[in-house]
Amino acid sequence: MRRAVCPGSFDPITNGHLDIVARASKLYDVVHVAVMINKSKQGLFSVEERIALIEECTSGYGNVVVEAFHGLLVDYCKQRDIPAIVKGLRAVSDFDYELQMAQMNNGLSGVETMFIPTNPVYSFLSSSLVKEVAAWGGDVSHLVPEPVLRVLGERLAQR
């Protein structure tokens, strides 16, 4: 069984993230979406909320498993016998950082990293940008899936 992981904080998941997960789900039998926990960062959504949103948004794929994880990504991969990490690349600046991470991960555990170029429609997109635009009342309906759009406005109004 071919398995891979798509890691991230997904606070919140965007259409760019979903594009990478969808494309990975066509290449692998099982795609794990690892919601990485960073205790030093306060997210807009709790980890449990992120997992629920990702599960809702990926339910149609049929081969996606969503879990939280705290620690090194290579440990997540070792514990689940996952040989590949799938990462989306938006720009050359992403490649510089991601190449270093890929080489470190491979050196630590032998896990390979597969890079998928982002769809040009989403080349500028990040969760941070979505939150900032939405906080100022901008329309992000074309940047996030409907379940995220539904709760994003409510959450920002509470702040």
Side-chain angles (χ1 to χ4, degrees), residues 9-76:
S9 58
F10 305 108
D11 187 38
I13 192 163
T14 69
N15 288 341
H17 292 130
L18 283 176
D19 177 58
I20 298 300
V21 172
R23 291 160 66 192
S25 75
K26 293 176 186 172
L27 300 172
Y28 293 93
D29 298 317
V30 178
V31 175
H32 293 254
V33 176
V35 179
M36 304 305 285
I37 300 169
N38 184 343
K39 301 247 187 226
S40 66
K41 281 185 164 179
Q42 178 62 37
L44 182 61
F45 295 99
S46 71
V47 171
E48 295 77 20
E49 289 170 321
R50 289 182 234 169
I51 289 171
L53 285 168
I54 297 166
E55 286 176 339
E56 184 175 355
C57 294
T58 61
S59 63
Y61 300 157
N63 64 341
V64 173
V65 175
V66 186
E67 299 176 295
F69 190 74
H70 178 69
L72 293 176
L73 180 59
V74 294
D75 290 338
Y76 179 91

Side-chain angles (χ1 to χ4, degrees), residues 35-159:
V35 179
M36 304 305 285
I37 300 169
N38 184 343
K39 301 247 187 226
S40 66
K41 281 185 164 179
Q42 178 62 37
L44 182 61
F45 295 99
S46 71
V47 171
E48 295 77 20
E49 289 170 321
R50 289 182 234 169
I51 289 171
L53 285 168
I54 297 166
E55 286 176 339
E56 184 175 355
C57 294
T58 61
S59 63
Y61 300 157
N63 64 341
V64 173
V65 175
V66 186
E67 299 176 295
F69 190 74
H70 178 69
L72 293 176
L73 180 59
V74 294
D75 290 338
Y76 179 91
C77 292
K78 281 188 222 175
Q79 291 170 9
R80 290 157 181 81
D81 196 27
I82 298 172
I85 299 166
V86 174
K87 299 290 292 220
L89 293 177
R90 294 173 293 191
V92 172
S93 57
D94 283 351
F95 180 75
D96 288 340
Y97 174 75
E98 294 297 346
L99 178 62
Q100 291 175 23
M101 292 300 296
Q103 291 169 332
M104 177 62 80
N105 289 335
N106 184 264
L108 289 171
S109 67
V111 173
E112 296 291 348
T113 299
M114 309 306 282
F115 296 119
I116 297 180
T118 300
N119 181 324
V121 172
Y122 306 122
S123 64
F124 64 92
L125 188 52
S126 71
S127 295
S128 299
L129 213 61
V130 165
K131 290 184 285 192
E132 185 173 345
V133 170
W136 289 102
D139 179 15
V140 296
S141 60
H142 60 296
L143 305 176
V144 295
E146 191 280 325
V148 172
L149 185 64
R150 185 178 65 235
V151 296
L152 184 61
E154 295 167 6
R155 180 59 47 88
L156 290 170
Q158 295 171 359
R159 288 188 138 195

